[in-house]
DNA sequence: TCATTAATCGCAC
DNA sequence: GTGCGATTAATGA
C-alpha cells in the first residue's frame, strides 16, 4: 500500500520535471501526434502524456495484462512479441522512434495479447485510454491518420503470414536481415540494432541454431559479415535478389 | 579474474 | 529442419 502511494508521488514528480519535452519540440516527425499538432484538440491532448522511462531489457507491456492506454516511442527501440507453444517467443515486429505500441490492445480488447520489451534505454509517451478516446471522438483527421496506420499494420501483418508460411528458413532469415536494414539502417556499416541470434530466430520463425547456420553460410558467400551482434550487409543487391521472386514489398 | 551469457558446432532424429 | 549437449568466445561484475 505504502509503496503504491510512493510510486504515484514519484511518477507525478517525474511528469512535472520533464514538462519541457513537449510534442512541439519532439524530433519524431513521423509521430501521429506530432503530425496533427496544429489541430487545437490534439495540441491540448499532447500535454496529457506521461513519460515512462525503461531500461534496456525492461518489459513494459505484459501479455494478458489489462489494457489501459497507448504508448508512443519518444526515444529508443522496442520489440513486440507474442508467446506461443512451449513458451516460444514470436516477435511480431520491431518498433522505432515515433511508432505506436499497444494499439492492437486498444479498441474492444480488454487484455494485451502481446508483450513489449525495450531493446535499449527507451523513453515512452503514454496516454491513458480515456484521454485517447476523447481526442479520437473530437478530431477526425487524427482519427483518420490512426485508421490509416491500423490498415497499414494489418497489411504488414498479412504479408508476414505469407513470409513465414511460404518461404524457406534461409529466405526468412534474409528477409529479416533486410527488414532490420531498411527499418533501422546502418551505423558505421553495421545494422543499427544489435540483436541476438535468438531474436533473429524469433522474428523469422525459426531456431537460434538455424540462424547461426544460415549466418555462417551467408558469411562464406560474402553476402554479410558478422562480429558477434554486429552484423553488416556486404551485398545488399544479391540478398534482395534472393527473395525478390516472392514479390515482397517494403514494410518500412 | 571469475562467473555468466551468447555463439558455435556436431550429432541424432 | 529441429533439438540437445558440449565447447568456445564474449561480456561484465
Amino acid at each position: 500500500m505504502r509503496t503504491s502511494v510512493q510510486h504515484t508521488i514519484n511518477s507525478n514528480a517525474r511528469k512535472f520535471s520533464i514538462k519541457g519535452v513537449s510534442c512541439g519540440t519532439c524530433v519524431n516527425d513521423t509521430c501521429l501526434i506530432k503530425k496533427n499538432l496544429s489541430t487545437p484538440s490534439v495540441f491540448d491532448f499532447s500535454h496529457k502524456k506521461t513519460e515512462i522511462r525503461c531500461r534496456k531489457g525492461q518489459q513494459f507491456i505484459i501479455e494478458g495484462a489489462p489494457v489501459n492506454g497507448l504508448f508512443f516511442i519518444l526515444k529508443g527501440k522496442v520489440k513486440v512479441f507474442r508467446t506461443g507453444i512451449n513458451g516460444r517467443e514470436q516477435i511480431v515486429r520491431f518498433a522505432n522512434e515515433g511508432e505506436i505500441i499497444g494499439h492492437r490492445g486498444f479498441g474492444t480488447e480488454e487484455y494485451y495479447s502481446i508483450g513489449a520489451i525495450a531493446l535499449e534505454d527507451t523513453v515512452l509517451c503514454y496516454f491513458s485510454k480515456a484521454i485517447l478516446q476523447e481526442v479520437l471522438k473530437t478530431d477526425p483527421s487524427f482519427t483518420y491518420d490512426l485508421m490509416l496506420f491500423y490498415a497499414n499494420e494489418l497489411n504488414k501483418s498479412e504479408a508476414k503470414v505469407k513470409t513465414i508460411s511460404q518461404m524457406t528458413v534461409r529466405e526468412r532469415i534474409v528477409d529479416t536481415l533486410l527488414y532490420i536494414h531498411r527499418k533501422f539502417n546502418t551505423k558505421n556499416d553495421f545494422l543499427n540494432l544489435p540483436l541476438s541470434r535468438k531474436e533473429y530466430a524469433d522474428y523469422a520463425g525459426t531456431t537460434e541454431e538455424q540462424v547461426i547456420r544460415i549466418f555462417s553460410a551467408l558469411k562464406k558467400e560474402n553476402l554479410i559479415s558478422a562480429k558477434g551482434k554486429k552484423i553488416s550487409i556486404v551485398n545488399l543487391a544479391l540478398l534482395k535478389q534472393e527473395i525478390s521472386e516472392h514479390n515482397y514489398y517494403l514494410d518500412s
Side-chain angles (χ1 to χ4, degrees):
Chain A
M1 189 61 193
R2 195 177 155 207
T3 51
S4 80
V5 170
Q6 191 63 40
H7 179 263
T8 309
I9 292 169
N10 281 344
S11 58
N12 280 339
R14 201 185 305 153
K15 198 166 22 177
F16 288 119
S17 68
I18 46 82
K19 214 176 172 183
V21 188
S22 73
C23 293
T25 55
C26 180
V27 294
N28 297 321
D29 294 329
T30 55
C31 173
L32 279 188
I33 297 175
K34 172 85 179 182
K35 274 203 263 184
N36 286 282
L37 213 52
S38 56
T39 313
S41 58
V42 175
F43 183 76
D44 290 344
F45 162 73
S46 77
H47 290 97
K48 293 174 185 166
K49 69 172 180 171
T50 306
E51 278 195 14
I52 296 177
R53 283 159 195 278
C54 290
R55 283 189 306 281
K56 183 179 178 179
Q58 194 173 341
Q59 181 162 2
F60 60 91
I61 297 179
I62 297 179
E63 282 177 286
V67 173
N68 39 30
L70 196 60
F71 298 89
F72 291 76
I73 304 177
L74 175 59
K75 183 136 189 23
K77 298 175 180 67
V78 165
K79 70 171 170 182
V80 180
F81 64 92
R82 198 175 271 250
T83 306
I85 303 163
N86 300 329
R88 243 177 84 173
E89 232 174 62
Q90 172 64 53
I91 294 179
V92 178
R93 67 191 180 106
F94 292 97
N96 211 344
E97 282 152 22
E99 291 193 49
I100 300 174
I101 306 285
H103 54 280
R104 243 309 317 288
F106 194 60
T108 56
E109 300 280 330
E110 269 187 83
Y111 301 100
Y112 284 114
S113 53
I114 50 95
I117 292 181
L119 291 169
E120 50 187 56
D121 291 351
T122 295
V123 185
L124 301 157
C125 301
Y126 169 78
F127 295 92
S128 78
K129 207 167 171 173
I131 291 172
L132 197 61
Q133 273 166 349
E134 199 180 312
V135 74
L136 287 174
K137 284 176 182 168
T138 52
D139 182 26
S141 71
F142 180 70
T143 306
Y144 180 70
D145 275 356
L146 193 66
M147 192 203 75
L148 290 182
F149 166 77
Y150 273 94
N152 212 328
E153 283 298 305
L154 187 58
N155 193 15
K156 287 182 201 169
S157 158
E158 287 171 356
K160 191 160 165 50
V161 171
K162 188 189 75 181
T163 304
I164 288 190
S165 63
Q166 298 187 353
M167 285 183 168
T168 65
V169 169
R170 178 176 164 121
E171 287 165 340
R172 297 203 296 267
I173 291 173
V174 169
D175 183 70
T176 304
L177 282 167
L178 293 173
Y179 166 72
I180 301 295
H181 178 259
R182 63 176 179 265
K183 181 146 189 169
F184 296 95
N185 286 106
T186 52
K187 190 178 178 183
N188 303 327
D189 226 29
F190 293 111
L191 290 179
N192 191 19
L193 178 66
L195 292 172
S196 68
R197 305 293 191 259
K198 183 172 183 308
E199 284 166 326
Y200 279 102
D202 289 343
Y203 184 81
T206 180
T207 61
E208 189 178 2
E209 289 94 331
Q210 284 303 333
V211 172
I212 288 163
R213 283 161 191 147
I214 304 287
F215 272 18
S216 45
L218 292 172
K219 273 192 272 186
K220 268 186 195 149
E221 294 166 43
N222 227 349
L223 294 171
I224 66 166
S225 75
K227 287 176 193 153
K229 286 187 178 180
K230 290 179 176 174
I231 314 283
S232 69
I233 291 180
V234 176
N235 196 331
L236 186 60
L238 263 181
L239 283 178
K240 278 185 177 169
Q241 199 186 315
E242 268 205 44
I243 57 170
S244 62
E245 59 190 274
H246 294 279
N247 72 343
Y248 87 112
Y249 68 99
L250 300 181
D251 61 343
S252 78

